[in-house]
Amino acid sequence: GENVEQHPSTLSVQEGDSAVIKCTYSDSASNYFPWYKQELGKGPQLIIDIRSNVGEKKDQRIAVTLNKTAKHFSLHITETQPEDSAVYFCAALNSGGYQKVTFGIGTKLQVIP
Amino acid sequence: NAGVTQTPKFQVLKTGQSMTLQCAQDMNHEYMSWYRQDPGMGLRLIHYSVGAGITDQGEVPNGYNVSRSTTEDFPLRLLSAAPSQTSVYFCASSLGSGNAYEQYFGPGTRLTVT
């Protein structure tokens, strides 16, 4: 089955700096890569996603890149703000069949004011 | 829309007790899933359903049962609670058709088994 590794497990940045979270996946059949943000005491919420036919996608201060050859994908947050502090999960999905999602272990991001 | 709702928010059980975690969604989603979240292990799939009457096992199904009698509801049953089932449980739903892969998560149930 799919295996998703996520690094780092914790990340502290100063407000205004950039944050980068990296993930690798093992199943070359995976073709959809979402990123979820989980705030304290809440369920995860989708913030951005990328499909395997795209190399990069941006949404305001958030961007995701995908390298299919290396099976790497990354989340980039620029101009970080205190409200970006949360746990971020990467995931990989094979859109055939049930669309089973495999999650990384999560990265706890702390933005220091 | 209320989205995905879960009850209860918190629960304490003694070893050997049984209980049902409730999950409901009002978005007419076909796909529903149960995950458990443990420190350092991310979200692990327990059971899932691709429609009413259809369920299947995920990564960590032992000790849990599910059923899906309606599109809206997907309860998770703990048959005989064990301390290893202490966790935060999330229910999620998705449209499950076309390219609609986004999962919507409920607020979670924090379960402690003593």
Side-chain angles (χ1 to χ4, degrees):
Chain A
E2 175 65 277
N3 182 48
V4 176
E5 296 190 355
Q6 183 172 348
H7 303 278
S9 56
T10 60
L11 179 61
S12 290
V13 299
Q14 291 292 135
E15 182 178 356
D17 288 349
S18 295
V20 180
I21 302 170
K22 298 182 178 182
C23 291
T24 62
Y25 63 99
S26 61
D27 188 353
S28 56
S30 291
N31 55 7
Y32 173 70
F33 305 92
W35 286 87
Y36 286 83
K37 176 184 181 181
Q38 184 180 27
E39 297 177 343
L40 195 62
K42 297 184 178 180
Q45 185 172 12
L46 181 74
I47 55 170
I48 196 167
D49 55 18
I50 192 167
R51 299 178 194 277
S52 58
N53 59 348
V54 175
E56 184 176 5
K57 183 177 179 180
K58 290 184 179 180
D59 183 2
Q60 299 182 337
R61 297 185 297 108
I62 293 173
V64 57
T65 59
L66 171 65
N67 183 328
K68 283 178 56 181
T69 302
K71 297 195 184 75
H72 290 172
F73 58 114
S74 300
L75 178 71
H76 304 253
I77 306 174
T78 58
E79 302 173 12
T80 54
Q81 301 168 4
E83 52 265 37
D84 294 329
S85 296
V87 177
Y88 292 81
F89 291 96
C90 64
L93 177 151
N94 182 342
S95 60
Y98 157 64
Q99 305 169 2
K100 181 182 174 184
V101 181
T102 302
F103 287 86
I105 64 170
T107 296
K108 184 175 182 179
L109 173 65
Q110 181 184 20
V111 179
I112 303 166
Chain B
N1 284 351
V4 180
T5 58
Q6 292 183 240
T7 56
K9 285 187 181 295
F10 303 94
Q11 183 70 49
V12 178
L13 291 178
K14 294 186 186 300
T15 297
Q17 288 184 317
S18 62
M19 78 159 295
T20 299
L21 279 62
Q22 301 292 344
C23 174
Q25 52 91 10
D26 61 358
M27 298 174 282
N28 202 32
H29 284 174
E30 286 297 319
Y31 287 16
M32 297 187 74
S33 307
W34 275 103
Y35 295 88
R36 58 177 291 172
Q37 182 176 25
D38 302 292
M41 305 192 75
L43 293 156
R44 292 183 292 168
L45 183 65
I46 304 172
H47 284 286
Y48 64 94
S49 168
V50 299
I54 306 169
T55 64
D56 206 345
Q57 297 180 350
E59 183 184 354
V60 287
N62 292 341
Y64 307 94
N65 272 358
V66 292
S67 60
R68 183 97 179 270
S69 56
T70 67
T71 299
E72 294 78 21
D73 300 298
F74 191 41
L76 178 72
R77 298 182 187 85
L78 279 69
L79 309 174
S80 177
S84 60
Q85 294 179 304
T86 293
S87 188
V88 181
Y89 292 85
F90 289 99
C91 178
S93 72
S94 62
L95 194 56
S97 64
N99 291 323
Y101 305 139
E102 178 179 357
Q103 289 194 310
Y104 294 80
F105 285 83
T109 294
R110 183 174 293 274
L111 175 68
T112 302
V113 183
T114 62

